[in-house]
Amino acid sequence: MEAVGNDTKIGSYSYPFADLADERTRNWPLVESPWNVPTLLALYFLMVHYGPKWIARYKPLQLRVPLFSHSLAMAFLNAHICLELFTASRKLGYSFSCQPCRVSYSPQEMRLAAAFWWFYISKILEFADTAFFILRQKWNQLSFLHVYHHSTMFVFCWIFIKWMPTGSVYVPTMINSFVHIVMYSYYALSVLGPRVQKFLWWKRYLTGLQLVQFTVVFFWALQVVIQGCEYGTWITLIGAAYMLPFLFMFGRFYVQKYMVYPAAKKSL
């Protein structure tokens, strides 16, 4: 390995801070090369840009079986991630408020790293949500909020699995995976037809749960920074700031969807 300042060459890849990459996960699939992120993001943005133009020439597709299968698989995957993170962190005696990332090859530490790798992979699989919106021509759901959320979460997850795959990252990951269990369960049930859809009155509370998630993670990240936890203070501060646009955009969506629109409808 050859290092010059903060630039390190690993294999054929040269990029800033590569020498700080966690040695346990740096060679895992879709982690080592820095080109994974821009390549997958470019393909995603090309799909978002050109997909609607292409599918507009055809009738919307139903895709009930693929949508149900994908949503159910994602719900189970997130359940696995959440359970692995909870079980391993409890066995390790991890602190909820501050847990430094230590390079350890103990079975439970590697179990945590593997769970977070699957979480990173799940963010790639979530790009299929956008594809389903496009193919079904659900233009109201193909919003800036949706595209921003999916693309930026993927980048953040690559940073964490590359540099800090254990430690305090288990907290927001576990919370997010739990929310996604609920969310993808809703998606799976929503395609089963009117007989099931009438029981999905709790969609409003799903958006509320997402707002609670962003609020909890925001204040959790702040306390990590304030107490000077050894776990990546700089990236935790960025993570706290990252929650603010989501609080604003999801909050605005909630108000417009469940407060302003119903009130306007009643006044007609």
Side-chain angles (χ1 to χ4, degrees):
M1 189 185 322
E2 182 180 315
V4 181
N6 285 326
D7 292 325
T8 302
K9 191 171 182 179
I10 300 177
S12 58
Y13 310 117
S14 182
Y15 53 99
F17 306 110
D19 57 316
L20 301 178
D22 195 288
E23 63 186 38
R24 294 168 295 180
T25 60
R26 71 168 67 189
N27 295 321
W28 286 12
L30 295 177
V31 176
E32 181 181 12
S33 172
W35 292 106
N36 290 321
V37 173
T39 299
L40 289 171
L41 278 180
L43 291 173
Y44 179 68
F45 290 137
L46 285 172
M47 177 181 70
V48 170
H49 183 74
Y50 291 105
K53 297 178 181 180
W54 172 75
I55 199 63
R57 296 176 291 179
Y58 306 95
K59 291 182 179 180
L61 302 177
Q62 294 297 320
L63 301 175
R64 288 185 178 179
V65 173
L67 184 57
F68 177 80
S69 301
H70 175 262
S71 298
L72 192 62
M74 292 299 291
F76 278 113
L77 176 58
N78 278 279
H80 168 74
I81 294 167
C82 189
L83 182 61
E84 286 291 284
L85 291 171
F86 177 79
T87 304
S89 63
R90 291 310 90 206
K91 288 184 177 180
L92 288 166
Y94 264 24
S95 167
F96 179 84
S97 61
C98 174
Q99 183 62 50
C101 178
R102 307 298 188 195
V103 179
S104 169
Y105 286 88
S106 72
Q108 297 304 324
E109 287 280 358
M110 295 306 295
R111 189 178 176 185
L112 278 173
F116 193 74
W117 181 82
W118 277 112
F119 185 73
Y120 163 63
I121 295 300
S122 77
K123 298 309 168 189
I124 301 173
L125 298 177
E126 285 179 14
F127 289 165
D129 296 346
T130 309
F132 284 129
F133 289 159
I134 292 171
L135 294 173
R136 298 170 69 214
Q137 298 189 21
K138 300 291 184 179
W139 309 129
N140 62 316
Q141 293 176 304
L142 190 64
S143 61
F144 171 80
L145 171 58
H146 172 84
V147 175
Y148 173 79
H149 175 61
H150 279 60
S151 57
T152 55
M153 276 297 294
F154 165 60
V155 175
F156 262 89
C157 287
W158 179 75
I159 292 172
F160 280 113
I161 191 62
K162 182 76 174 179
W163 279 275
M164 291 176 287
T166 56
S168 279
V169 72
Y170 89 94
V171 175
T173 305
M174 189 166 61
I175 293 172
N176 188 259
S177 59
F178 173 77
V179 171
H180 278 70
I181 297 170
V182 181
M183 185 182 77
Y184 279 107
S185 297
Y186 172 86
Y187 287 165
L189 293 172
S190 67
V191 299
L192 295 180
R195 291 184 179 181
V196 174
Q197 288 175 353
K198 64 183 179 181
F199 297 107
L200 299 179
W201 48 266
W202 45 275
K203 180 180 180 181
R204 171 177 185 170
Y205 300 100
L206 175 57
T207 305
L209 180 62
Q210 290 172 315
L211 284 169
V212 170
Q213 170 194 198
F214 299 135
T215 303
V216 170
V217 173
F218 173 74
F219 284 107
W220 170 84
L222 278 187
Q223 67 84 29
V224 169
V225 174
I226 291 171
Q227 68 172 306
C229 179
E230 289 182 47
Y231 181 81
T233 302
W234 65 273
I235 200 166
T236 306
L237 186 59
I238 292 174
Y242 179 62
M243 291 298 105
L244 294 177
F246 289 123
L247 280 169
F248 172 75
M249 288 187 284
F250 272 87
R252 183 175 62 179
F253 170 80
Y254 185 90
V255 170
Q256 291 176 344
K257 177 80 173 178
Y258 300 111
M259 299 175 69
V260 175
Y261 178 75
K265 193 174 181 181
K266 285 182 181 179
S267 65
L268 294 177

